[in-house]
Amino acid sequence: MTAPDTAARPRVPFWDNARFVSVTLVVIGHAIQRLTSDSNNALVLYLFIYAFHMPAFAIISGYFSKASPPTTRRMKKVLTDILLPYVIMEAIWTFVQWIVEGKQEFNPTNPSWTLWFLLALGIFRLVLPYLVLVRYPLVWALLLSVMVGYFDNVDSTFSLSRAIGILPFFVLGWQARQWGIAERFLDLGRAVWGLRAGAVAVLAAWLLVVVIGIEQWRAIDLRFWFFYDDSYRGLGEDQWWAGLVRLGLIALAILLSASFFVLVPRTQTWITGFGQATMYVYLLHSFVLYPFRESGILRNAEPTWIWLPIVIVLSVVIALALATRPVRRLFRPLVEPRARWLFADERLTADASRRDDPTGSRRPRER
């Protein structure tokens, strides 16, 4: 079974709200990263966010993906929505790092900073039609994620290790569409408040676990486990049971992501419109944060109980600013290149009725 086409369906504010909150958590996580070396408070927030924010993003992307054999238009969109923006942004990052750091290397096989997720989305779209041919695709995705950690030779080249690591969340999003979970949730009446109370309890319990064990989590570098990138040996755990740790973290991420989605507003809010431009926020925020990260301003920033809230507020402002219409108009050629010159068949560029981003967000084409 494949997911129905959403082109003719009205927008569902819930998904735009979820997209924007998710990408804002990404910005916050990256902004406070430099603070975590010297502040337990910052590390607590960092671990709290990283346990589920990218899994939630992958679930959203999977929910809006199709598992049927790709059409010509869908293959074209892989090029224009994923691969071409990746090459453009990677080239820009190479230039920036050459100017700032003197680094002279253009290596598109090794994604810069946030660009790994673009390649992961491309891999997801390629493998999903094959994965759903077999029984229990979610089980196979889990098995692949757990097993890839045992192989040192599967690394970050083309984001392969990380893509396989978070593949279960993408497949879960697609599977949730088939099960109709979101529709049932959105149809809930007052019963939703009981779910939200449970979601708050779950997130509060995770926060408490992080706070109580923060010294232990720092000692074992728990944050690296949430990247789903390194092999178990690279994480310092080459025991046979290391895969069970990843399986447990996947289960934790699913539980926290579900709690997060339950708390997302289901109706139109002031942030709903910003949720249509999440890829602008995702791809551009790293350039805004780069000077602060490299300058060392956020290292040894004391007291952190003042600096941490300031950084969080500034992160939200950055996310809001990058999702505005002027920013979208200015950077559209980089984030959403039309690339008419690239295609031999002119019919592939004839449809200008809407723009789709890789997470499934669709909006009328702006002029």
Side-chain angles (χ1 to χ4, degrees), residues 11-21 264 268 271-278 361-362:
R11 297 197 68 88
V12 178
F14 167 78
W15 290 111
D16 285 333
N17 295 335
R19 286 187 186 94
F20 183 72
V21 177
V264 169
Q268 189 86 14
I271 67 170
T272 303
F274 296 106
Q276 300 180 32
T278 49
S361 179
R362 299 180 175 184

Side-chain angles (χ1 to χ4, degrees), residues 39-58:
S39 168
N40 279 348
N41 292 333
L43 184 59
V44 164
L45 179 60
Y46 189 87
L47 294 177
F48 177 81
I49 291 174
Y50 266 74
F52 70 91
H53 76 316
M54 287 312 296
F57 223 140

Side-chain angles (χ1 to χ4, degrees), residues 16 35 76 97 109 114 122-123 149 187 193 221 231 261 268 282 315 343 351-352:
D16 285 333
L35 293 172
K76 172 247 182 183
Q97 290 175 323
T109 69
T114 62
I123 293 171
D187 288 338
W193 293 105
D221 284 327
S231 67
F261 287 128
Q268 189 86 14
Y282 186 83
S315 298
F343 301 101
D351 182 13

Side-chain angles (χ1 to χ4, degrees), residues 62-335:
Y63 185 87
F64 288 94
S65 295
K66 298 178 181 179
S68 57
T71 63
T72 301
R73 182 178 181 275
R74 283 165 57 193
M75 289 189 290
K76 172 247 182 183
K77 290 186 68 58
V78 170
L79 293 176
T80 59
D81 295 1
I82 297 177
L83 296 183
L84 192 54
Y86 173 76
V87 173
I88 292 173
M89 291 296 173
E90 191 62 54
I92 294 174
W93 265 118
T94 300
F95 178 74
V96 169
Q97 290 175 323
W98 172 61
I99 294 295
V100 177
E101 305 174 38
K103 182 179 179 181
Q104 301 182 31
E105 180 184 6
F106 176 64
N107 184 6
T109 69
N110 187 20
S112 299
W113 203 351
T114 62
L115 296 183
W116 70 268
F117 191 61
L118 274 182
L119 286 186
L121 287 175
I123 293 171
F124 295 158
R125 291 190 177 186
L126 289 174
V127 304
L128 185 61
Y130 296 95
L131 194 57
V132 300
L133 291 178
V134 300
R135 292 179 181 271
Y136 316 117
L138 183 55
V139 174
W140 284 105
L142 285 168
L143 182 62
L144 288 171
S145 177
V146 170
M147 292 303 298
V148 73
Y150 289 104
F151 298 97
D152 294 328
N153 61 335
V154 182
D155 55 22
S156 59
T157 303
F158 288 118
S159 299
L160 188 58
S161 59
R162 208 164 189 180
I164 298 175
I166 69 169
L167 179 62
F169 306 111
F170 182 84
V171 177
L172 176 61
W174 174 85
Q175 191 73 73
R177 183 70 172 269
Q178 319 313 309
W179 291 332
I181 292 177
E183 288 77 6
R184 291 197 291 272
F185 168 68
L186 295 175
D187 288 338
L188 286 177
R190 293 183 177 180
V192 72
W193 293 105
L195 284 178
R196 285 176 171 169
V200 170
V202 168
L203 292 172
W206 168 237
L207 180 60
L208 183 62
V209 168
V210 175
V211 171
I212 293 175
I214 190 60
E215 294 297 345
Q216 176 65 21
W217 307 142
R218 183 184 292 278
I220 67 173
D221 284 327
L222 178 63
R223 64 192 182 99
F224 292 111
W225 284 84
F226 292 139
F227 295 166
Y228 296 90
D229 192 9
D230 292 324
S231 67
Y232 304 136
R233 187 187 302 274
L235 292 167
E237 298 291 345
D238 57 355
Q239 293 85 352
W240 66 267
W241 44 260
L244 297 179
V245 176
R246 171 167 289 185
L247 189 62
L249 294 178
I250 290 173
L252 173 66
I254 292 173
L255 179 61
L256 296 176
S257 296
S259 300
F260 162 74
F261 287 128
V262 167
L263 294 177
V264 169
R266 298 183 296 171
T267 57
Q268 189 86 14
T269 69
W270 66 274
I271 67 170
T272 303
F274 296 106
Q276 300 180 32
T278 49
M279 291 310 295
Y280 284 85
V281 181
Y282 186 83
L283 293 178
L284 298 177
H285 82 275
S286 54
F287 293 99
V288 179
L289 296 179
Y290 180 70
F292 298 98
R293 287 170 59 101
E294 294 304 313
S295 64
I297 292 177
L298 298 180
R299 292 297 304 270
N300 301 312
E302 295 290 346
T304 54
W305 64 268
I306 292 179
W307 278 102
L308 187 58
I310 290 175
V311 172
I312 292 172
V313 171
L314 289 177
S315 298
V316 175
V317 171
I318 290 171
L320 289 170
L322 294 179
T324 58
R325 183 169 295 181
V327 172
R328 297 202 302 264
R329 286 178 175 173
L330 179 62
F331 291 100
R332 186 180 303 145
L334 305 180
V335 179

